[in-house]
């Protein structure tokens, strides 16, 4: 969010007669209303308490539809093709075409009801600037530039016999504390809002397993300390196996991404430190396509899918703080809110799933003062959905259910 972003001046807007979810997890308000002026929310609450309307206010009766905060996806890769192409096809694209292809993905993400995303590798500052200055239509972006990774780790996409190349621009390799210092300073220099580290191996990297350690605790702590010294920027750790989750949490990261093999000891540690888990169940539940993925990747994926389905529900049951993230870019773009139903399948209440995708996600991104709830003073990021999410949360995954999307007070989608 650069201070010089241009906002279109629009008339004040009142959304009324909605089922209002404010993002804080209480009971929704029937007959709720939201008043938007100059890009900000000036009122959210029961229709009977709406203040006197400014001259020229447009009134929209949403006829009982749900009014929700704009959702926040804490884990996407807008530069990733989803399931549309193989890694080999992606690697063969000219850089310019690969960049242009992000435009329809950003639009689809916004139209799915997601008004803010955290891109954990692949997008650069140009993606963020293009959305901020209105060249592209999309959600507000926080970006990580590239994933910092040790040699042979999850950010090392060279085939085992390759000395150079093959990184898809997604990884930045570093080994040992001095190289980690340089690598984190490089992504901060390139405009990173958040730093991504590989604390374990992963499914799509060719030289490791998801329970191999990535960076060690001292390397992670170095990166966390340097990021914190740059306006309090946070670190997100790709971490699937137990050893790496432990290194990441002890190293001080703000969030464990995936966390598939989380166990009670790690849950205790995360509860103690307030570490967020972003379980990315959307990608965990996307079956690999044997026609597009290498055989070793298919095998790893199916194995780790089973682990996630066993361990993530335990973390939810024990109250680990959850923020919504999908890994869209690996999974398909534009149906991000599938994640909410997956969270409910893992034992979360629909109300808590909404909080994971709004207030909790805003807190993880350090944006609680600006977004994540429908409250006077916040940026007007608002979604209207033709469903009651308490009885059918899965319906939110269908973009045609999302009838209206407002970001910073500007309406970008209106199916009414
Ligand atoms: Zn990812």
């Amino acid at each position: 969010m650069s201070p010089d972003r241009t906002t279109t001046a629009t008339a004040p807007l009142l959304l009324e007669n909605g089922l209002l979810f404010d993002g804080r997890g209480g009971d929704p308000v029937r007959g709720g209303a939201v008043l938007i002026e100059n890009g900000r929310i000036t009122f959210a609450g029961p229709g009977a308490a709406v203040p006197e309307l400014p001259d020229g206010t447009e009134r929209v009766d949403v006829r009982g539809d749900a009014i929700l905060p704009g959702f926040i996806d804490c884990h996407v890769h807008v530069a990733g093709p989803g399931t549309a192409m193989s890694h080999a096809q992606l690697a063969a694209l000219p850089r310019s075409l690969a960049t242009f292809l992000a435009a329809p993905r950003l639009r689809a993400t916004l139209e799915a009801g997601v008004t803010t995303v955290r891109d954990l590798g692949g997008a650069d500052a140009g993606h963020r600037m293009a959305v901020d200055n209105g060249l592209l239509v999309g959600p507000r972006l926080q970006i990580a530039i590239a994933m910092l990774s040790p040699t042979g780790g999850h950010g090392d996409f060279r085939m085992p016999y390759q000395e150079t190349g093959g990184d898809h621009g997604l990884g930045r390799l570093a080994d040992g504390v001095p190289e980690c210092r340089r690598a984190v300073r490089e992504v901060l220099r390139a405009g990173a809002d958040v730093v991504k580290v590989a604390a374990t191996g992963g499914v799509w990297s060719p030289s490791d397993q998801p329970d191999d350690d990535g960076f060690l605790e001292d390397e992670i702590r170095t990166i966390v300390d340097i990021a914190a010294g740059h306006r309090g920027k946070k670190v997100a750790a790709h971490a699937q196996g137990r050893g790496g989750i432990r290194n990441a949490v002890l190293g001080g990261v703000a969030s464990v991404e995936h966390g598939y093999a989380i166990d009670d000891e790690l849950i205790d540690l995360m509860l103690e430190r307030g570490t967020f888990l972003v379980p990315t169940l959307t990608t965990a539940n996307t079956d690999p396509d044997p026609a597009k993925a290498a055989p070793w990747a298919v095998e790893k994926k199916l194995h780790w899918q089973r682990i996630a389905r066993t361990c993530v529900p335990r973390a939810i049951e024990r109250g680990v703080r959850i923020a919504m993230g999908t890994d869209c870019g690996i999974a398909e773009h534009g149906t991000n809110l599938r994640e909410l139903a997956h969270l409910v399948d893992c034992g979360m209440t629909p109300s808590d799933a909404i909080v994971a995708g709004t207030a909790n996600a805003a807190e993880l991104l350090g944006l609680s003062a600006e977004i994540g709830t429908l409250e006077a003073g916040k940026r007007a990021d608002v979604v209207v959905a033709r469903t009651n999410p308490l009885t059918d949360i899965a319906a939110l995954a269908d973009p045609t259910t999302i009838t209206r999307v407002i970001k910073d007070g500007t309406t970008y989608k209106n199916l009414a």
Side-chain angles (χ1 to χ4, degrees):
M1 283 181 283
S2 65
D4 60 349
R5 71 181 305 288
T6 50
T7 43
T8 327
T10 48
L13 173 67
L14 179 73
L15 301 172
E16 57 187 334
N17 193 22
L19 183 63
L20 180 72
F21 294 81
D22 68 6
R24 289 180 291 192
D27 288 337
V29 176
R30 283 184 196 285
V34 175
L35 180 60
I36 296 167
E37 297 174 69
N38 299 318
R40 296 269 169 181
I41 295 167
T42 53
F43 171 84
V50 174
E52 193 181 331
L53 296 179
D55 285 345
T57 300
E58 183 194 353
R59 299 178 69 149
V60 174
D61 180 349
V62 303
R63 286 175 281 179
D65 287 352
I67 303 176
L68 301 136
F71 284 91
I72 301 163
D73 189 333
C74 299
H75 192 137
V76 303
H77 302 277
V78 304
T83 51
M85 65 180 88
S86 69
H87 280 227
Q89 287 170 315
L90 177 64
L93 293 181
R95 284 290 158 114
S96 54
L97 180 57
T99 302
F100 295 144
L101 285 169
R105 296 175 195 141
L106 285 163
R107 179 183 283 275
T109 304
L110 183 66
E111 291 184 349
V114 175
T115 48
T116 303
V117 297
R118 189 175 64 156
D119 188 288
L120 288 182
D124 69 17
H127 293 84
R128 185 184 57 206
M129 291 159 78
V131 171
D132 277 352
N133 69 24
L135 178 65
L136 295 182
V137 169
R140 183 180 296 109
L141 282 152
Q142 280 196 350
I143 55 166
I145 309 287
M147 171 167 45
L148 311 187
S149 163
T151 295
H154 188 49
D156 188 344
F157 289 94
R158 296 172 299 175
M159 296 308 290
Y161 51 83
Q162 273 181 309
E163 297 272 312
T164 57
D167 67 353
H168 304 327
L170 186 65
R172 167 73 179 76
L173 303 186
D175 294 285
V177 164
E179 286 188 17
C180 285
R181 287 199 182 110
R182 173 180 286 275
V184 64
R185 286 173 180 142
E186 282 177 356
V187 290
L188 291 167
R189 170 180 174 273
D193 305 296
V194 56
V195 177
K196 170 85 173 289
V197 298
T200 68
V203 168
W204 299 106
S205 37
S207 312
D208 60 14
Q209 291 292 329
D211 47 10
D212 288 344
D213 287 348
F215 282 130
L216 300 177
E217 190 187 324
D218 62 338
E219 294 170 311
I220 294 170
R221 186 175 300 111
T222 296
I223 292 166
V224 166
D225 287 347
I226 289 178
H230 287 70
R231 284 160 281 155
K233 289 177 182 177
K234 301 185 187 190
V235 176
H238 165 99
Q240 299 182 335
R242 292 193 184 92
I245 297 174
R246 187 181 168 78
N247 288 336
V249 175
L250 292 177
V253 303
S255 62
V256 167
E257 307 295 313
H258 319 300
Y260 296 149
I262 191 167
D263 64 8
D264 274 322
E265 187 199 331
L266 294 166
I267 289 170
D268 288 340
L269 264 185
M270 288 176 71
L271 287 171
E272 217 170 85
R273 287 161 185 255
T275 316
F276 276 97
L277 174 64
V278 180
T280 64
L281 298 164
T282 300
T283 190
N285 285 302
T286 300
D287 288 326
D289 179 354
K292 291 192 181 124
W296 46 263
V298 173
E299 197 182 304
K300 282 201 260 185
K301 178 88 187 198
L302 293 173
H303 179 66
W304 282 82
Q305 204 171 56
R306 286 192 290 273
I307 293 174
R309 285 172 183 166
T310 311
C311 300
V312 170
R314 178 71 177 154
I316 290 172
E317 183 192 343
R318 291 204 47 209
V320 172
R321 308 172 82 199
I322 306 285
M324 183 186 81
T326 57
D327 221 351
C328 282
I330 306 299
E332 206 53 47
H333 291 281
T335 54
N336 310 57
L337 299 188
R338 273 186 292 172
E339 186 72 15
L340 300 170
H342 290 313
L343 289 168
V344 169
D345 287 343
C346 284
M348 199 176 263
T349 66
S351 177
D352 285 348
I354 292 168
V355 174
T358 55
N360 278 8
E363 190 181 340
L364 174 57
L365 270 56
L367 295 176
S368 288
E370 291 288 310
I371 59 172
T373 58
L374 299 180
E375 286 179 272
K378 295 258 175 115
R379 287 174 183 267
D381 290 0
V382 186
V383 163
V384 178
R386 191 156 292 158
T387 182
N388 180 345
L390 296 185
T391 53
D392 188 7
I393 193 126
L396 289 174
D398 176 357
T400 64
T401 304
I402 308 295
T403 54
R404 194 179 280 263
V405 178
I406 299 167
K407 187 187 73 167
D408 278 326
T410 299
T411 300
Y412 287 93
K413 179 184 185 183
N414 182 5
L415 299 183

